[in-house]
Amino acid sequence: MAELPVNEPNKKFFYHEHASKLLKCLNEFRERPNLCDATVTIGSSRIPVQKNILSAASHYFRALFDYDDRITNSTKDRQGPSLSTVSLDHMAIDEHTFRSILDFIYTAEVKLHPGNIQDMLQAADQLLMSDLKDICCEYLDTCINAQNCIGILDFTSQLSCSWWHLKVSQYLDAHFNEVSQFDEFLRLDEERIAKLLSRTTIDVKNEDDVLDIILRWYRFEPDNRFSSMMNLLGKVVFAHQLSDNALARCNELREPAGQELLQLILELKRIQKDNPIIHRGFVRVIVACGGEGGCIDRDDCEIKDFVRCVKPIRTKHPASWVELAPMSSPRCGHGLVEVGGYLYVAGGRDSNCRILNSCEKYDPFKNCWSPIAPMNHARVGFGLVAIENMIYAIGGSNDMTDPLLSVEVYDVFTDRWKPLPDMIMKRAWACYVAAGSKIYVLGGGIIGKFYESVEVFDTRALTWYAVSPMRERRCDARAVAVGNDIYVFGGFRRIECPSAAHSGHNLKLCGTEFYSEKNDYWMPIQNRSGGNTICAVGETTNISGVLYDEDDILIVGELDMGSGEVHTVRSFNRHTNTWDCVIMNKPKLQTRYQCCLLSLPKNLMHNLLREQGKLYYSDIVGDTKLNG
């Protein structure tokens, strides 16, 4: 054999199938008792297991076997290896469930169905197996409907499934009228009904609906619930907001029940006549947060702490941008996401040009901001995306020159940041979007160079990999996910590149592209006129964000349509590839802001509109939602 070069650098190799092959062999070995060192007993059944495998998969077994080994090692007359026996009878885990859990530990596969989900989730919780618990909760999420959501709400509460409990709560609020028609709701006792109906978060058209729900609950067991019905009316109904039609419903009850009900409602209306109007439910709004803009008292530009919101609907009068509580610190180039009905802001640059690592949270129920744990790295021009209860901060820069590779994640329930694997490439002002459990980083660049490359972070495997590049290089673009597919809009690239509209300063505004995750393929989107741009590009054109609201893709920013016409929100119909103007007027003295969608309590929205003198008649009687 020829002598190898002495100065040849070391090379690291990775065998991708190593872990799966090792797990396959271990799965075969568990059927051989001589290779097992412990036994799990369930009733009369004895199941051979391997301590190290169970300990790796379950914190419960790890603690149990550690304790067992310490006791064994302290015994002076110990002879030979210890064979532990563990009983699960006290946990009420049946044999079939435990064998299914063993199969999951060795194969990473589990079969879930309505008949076993409750046993599997409860066992995963008891055995401290967070991965299996998350999988069970994901399956449970697909099962939620109006007939079972109250049971799932209780179940997720008992097992401390915080994120999924929040999701079921939101589903219950959004579909409350439908939920109230099924037996699961109608069989609840008075105390539980009062607790549900006392919330202002339930989505009902008006207070007449609340009365109808109580009457429906009463009719389910009329012989036993009359006094409870009367108690509920006094506790949860805003009687001063009931219509005359609601009073007529009293005549539908047999006497003397109908007359007693009417007298109570009239008495409650008299008592509550001076009470303020309370609006239940939420209204969907676009929030514009931070950025920069001109000053009121001087000809200058400053970083803003403004937070404004607007309803994404078409009305006859100009859209009303409503002032929300300002951030505690002005920010530009920051990140903004919505998680669980709250806003989270991180990083950016302040009025003194300091790059920030500070973060804060907006509570829409109190209309106030509060500080949360700071990031490990100060960042500006970075990506901030949310997947379930986790917020990911990716890349950016902390000195305005050299881009960061670092990634960190924040858990909204623990208020902690922790580091994650670095990105593959350094890139500033890239575009970031979450689709499913994956985060896509698109384009961006470094000084003098723009990228078309795309890299993906799998939040479950905690690995980065590359996918097909975009057709156009672009920097500072905006994107949105629809399912697992992606639409990317705008961004800039150099003028020498073809198929882009001229925007001046030797840069061009890029067109729109669509990415199919299934086919790993990018394609340009043409509108009906044959162009592929969002608008007639001007020097002031800026896309602040792209949002997906039900079936509409909303592009938000300063969109120059030519001839002096500038739109703030445009709607893109992905089925017909057509555009429509939703909102023309922009937030005053605010540009280059971050934006997102938020469900704002209707009561807060109406109070702010009234206080700021922006309450139109249509805001009182209801607006027509944009349908595209």
Side-chain angles (χ1 to χ4, degrees):
M1 179 177 173
E3 186 175 346
L4 296 175
V6 177
N7 297 327
E8 187 70 19
N10 293 330
K11 294 183 179 179
K12 184 168 72 172
F13 295 87
F14 180 77
Y15 182 45
H16 293 273
E17 297 183 9
H18 175 74
S20 60
K21 285 189 173 182
L22 192 64
L23 209 55
K24 182 179 179 181
C25 289
L26 290 170
N27 188 31
E28 295 171 357
F29 291 166
R30 72 182 170 113
E31 301 299 330
R32 299 167 60 178
N34 62 309
L35 295 178
C36 296
D37 53 0
T39 302
V40 171
T41 65
I42 300 175
S44 59
S45 300
R46 297 176 61 83
I47 305 171
V49 295
Q50 298 162 316
K51 284 184 180 180
N52 56 343
I53 304 300
L54 262 63
S55 297
S58 162
H59 289 285
Y60 172 82
F61 281 115
R62 187 182 309 174
L64 195 67
F65 291 139
D66 279 348
Y67 177 78
D68 180 68
D69 286 344
R70 284 197 296 271
I71 296 299
T72 303
N73 290 334
S74 66
T75 304
K76 295 181 179 179
D77 57 348
R78 175 186 175 190
Q79 296 181 2
S82 168
L83 292 177
S84 303
T85 299
V86 177
S87 172
L88 298 184
D89 290 338
H90 65 289
M91 289 185 167
I93 298 175
D94 62 60
E95 181 182 352
H96 180 74
T97 299
F98 183 69
R99 289 191 182 276
S100 297
I101 289 174
L102 277 181
D103 291 341
F104 170 76
I105 291 173
Y106 285 94
T107 66
E109 295 180 1
V110 61
K111 293 181 179 179
L112 298 174
H113 53 80
N116 74 351
I117 181 60
Q118 186 167 339
D119 292 336
M120 291 294 292
L121 180 53
Q122 194 161 346
D125 181 67
Q126 291 175 299
L127 297 176
L128 304 180
M129 298 178 63
S130 58
D131 291 342
L132 179 58
K133 187 176 178 180
D134 288 343
I135 291 173
C136 290
C137 286
E138 286 182 29
Y139 173 78
L140 207 58
D141 184 46
T142 66
C143 301
I144 298 172
N145 58 49
Q147 299 182 55
N148 63 21
C149 65
I150 293 177
I152 294 177
L153 181 75
D154 295 340
F155 190 50
T156 52
S157 176
Q158 293 167 8
L159 299 183
S160 301
C161 303
S162 303
W163 173 251
W164 304 102
H165 181 73
L166 177 60
K167 288 195 69 174
V168 182
S169 298
Q170 292 175 333
Y171 179 92
L172 174 62
D173 285 339
H175 301 84
F176 198 83
N177 245 323
E178 185 182 0
V179 171
S180 69
Q181 299 178 34
F182 291 99
D183 284 7
E184 187 178 59
F185 177 88
L186 297 173
R187 294 184 187 279
L188 297 175
D189 61 25
E190 176 191 339
E191 182 181 358
R192 186 68 186 280
I193 293 292
K195 186 176 180 181
L196 291 173
L197 289 176
S198 62
R199 300 189 302 173
T200 59
T201 55
I202 58 175
D203 186 18
V204 290
K205 291 180 181 179
N206 49 48
E207 208 61 18
D208 290 9
D209 282 357
V210 179
L211 177 60
D212 287 341
I213 291 169
I214 293 175
L215 291 174
R216 187 182 303 127
W217 177 81
Y218 160 72
R219 291 190 184 101
F220 192 73
E221 292 183 11
D223 296 336
N224 305 318
R225 290 181 170 176
F226 181 75
S227 61
S228 296
M229 176 186 68
M230 302 294 274
N231 290 337
L232 286 172
L233 284 171
K235 290 178 182 177
V236 303
V237 176
F238 304 131
H240 62 301
Q241 297 173 207
L242 291 174
S243 69
D244 292 339
N245 290 333
L247 298 181
R249 291 181 177 85
C250 299
N251 298 326
E252 299 172 6
L253 301 184
R254 290 179 301 177
E255 296 301 339
Q259 190 61 30
E260 290 184 39
L261 177 62
L262 178 61
Q263 291 302 319
L264 176 60
I265 291 176
L266 292 174
E267 177 63 15
L268 290 172
K269 288 175 76 71
R270 185 188 65 79
I271 295 172
Q272 300 176 14
K273 62 184 177 64
D274 295 326
N275 290 3
I277 299 295
I278 304 295
H279 301 271
R280 299 183 190 257
F282 294 92
V283 58
R284 199 74 164 154
V285 297
I286 297 172
V287 176
C289 181
E292 58 188 45
C295 302
I296 297 177
D297 55 350
R298 64 183 189 278
D299 186 16
D300 198 1
C301 184
E302 65 180 1
I303 308 299
K304 302 293 186 181
D305 60 2
F306 296 163
V307 182
R308 277 88 171 255
C309 72
V310 66
K311 291 186 284 187
I313 55 177
R314 189 191 300 109
T315 60
K316 295 180 180 179
H317 53 77
S320 298
W321 283 92
V322 178
E323 303 282 341
L324 300 178
M327 294 184 291
S328 60
S329 173
R331 298 173 189 265
C332 185
H334 54 292
L336 170 70
V337 292
E338 180 272 339
V339 178
Y342 296 83
L343 296 181
Y344 293 82
V345 162
R349 176 169 52 87
D350 68 8
S351 303
N352 297 316
C353 290
R354 294 176 302 187
I355 298 178
L356 308 171
N357 70 337
S358 62
C359 308
E360 47 190 311
K361 171 184 176 181
Y362 174 74
D363 184 339
F365 299 99
K366 300 178 181 177
N367 190 30
C368 68
W369 290 85
S370 57
I372 59 174
M375 295 184 291
N376 297 319
H377 298 276
R379 301 173 189 268
V380 66
F382 65 105
L384 195 72
V385 298
I387 298 177
E388 295 175 357
N389 58 299
M390 310 300 284
I391 300 174
Y392 298 81
I394 310 161
S397 174
N398 59 11
D399 62 2
M400 301 299 288
T401 55
D402 192 32
L404 295 170
L405 286 171
S406 66
V407 182
E408 51 190 305
V409 62
Y410 173 81
D411 188 331
V412 300
F413 294 121
T414 63
D415 189 31
R416 291 181 181 176
W417 291 90
K418 68 177 182 180
L420 291 174
D422 288 353
M423 286 194 299
I424 300 171
M425 294 178 60
K426 285 186 175 182
R427 54 178 90 209
W429 303 103
C431 177
Y432 308 85
V433 62
S437 62
K438 299 175 182 178
I439 299 172
Y440 290 76
V441 182
L442 302 86
I446 55 177
I447 296 176
K449 186 176 182 181
F450 293 164
Y451 299 145
E452 72 270 62
S453 63
V454 180
E455 55 186 289
V456 181
F457 181 66
D458 188 323
T459 60
R460 291 179 176 170
L462 300 182
T463 56
W464 287 92
Y465 60 93
V467 296
S468 293
M470 295 180 291
R471 289 177 173 249
E472 292 186 90
R473 298 180 180 183
R474 60 182 81 211
C475 182
D476 200 26
R478 299 291 183 268
V480 69
V482 178
N484 290 325
D485 299 329
I486 295 170
Y487 290 81
V488 61
F489 298 85
F492 294 91
R493 73 182 204 178
R494 296 195 178 282
I495 194 171
E496 60 264 24
C497 299
S499 66
H502 190 353
S503 65
H505 303 294
N506 297 321
L507 294 176
K508 299 178 178 181
L509 186 73
C510 299
T512 303
E513 294 187 50
F514 167 79
Y515 174 74
S516 168
E517 189 261 352
K518 180 180 179 180
N519 301 314
D520 188 24
Y521 180 76
W522 289 91
M523 61 180 293
I525 292 179
Q526 304 286 334
N527 63 22
R528 281 185 173 178
S529 62
N532 62 348
T533 59
I534 301 167
C535 54
V537 183
E539 292 186 3
T540 59
T541 292
N542 170 65
I543 300 178
S544 295
V546 181
L547 313 171
Y548 184 57
D549 184 25
E550 296 179 355
D551 207 35
D552 295 319
I553 295 178
L554 303 176
I555 290 78
V556 184
E558 294 172 277
L559 310 173
D560 191 338
M561 305 307 298
S563 303
E565 183 177 338
V566 178
H567 294 175
T568 297
V569 181
R570 286 170 62 80
S571 172
F572 175 70
N573 187 317
R574 59 193 179 91
H575 303 294
T576 61
N577 290 355
T578 56
W579 296 86
D580 191 16
C581 176
V582 181
I583 297 173
M584 292 190 66
N585 54 312
K586 62 181 181 179
K588 188 177 180 181
L589 301 176
Q590 187 179 13
T591 184
R592 300 191 181 278
Y593 45 80
Q594 298 299 313
C595 65
C596 72
L597 287 164
L598 175 68
S599 293
L600 198 69
K602 283 183 181 178
N603 203 51
L604 173 63
M605 185 68 166
H606 276 257
N607 289 342
L608 292 175
L609 284 168
R610 184 176 291 105
E611 291 169 6
Q612 296 169 25
K614 300 172 181 177
L615 192 63
Y616 290 88
Y617 176 74
S618 60
D619 294 314
I620 301 174
V621 300
D623 289 307
T624 301
K625 178 73 175 68
L626 174 70
N627 292 317

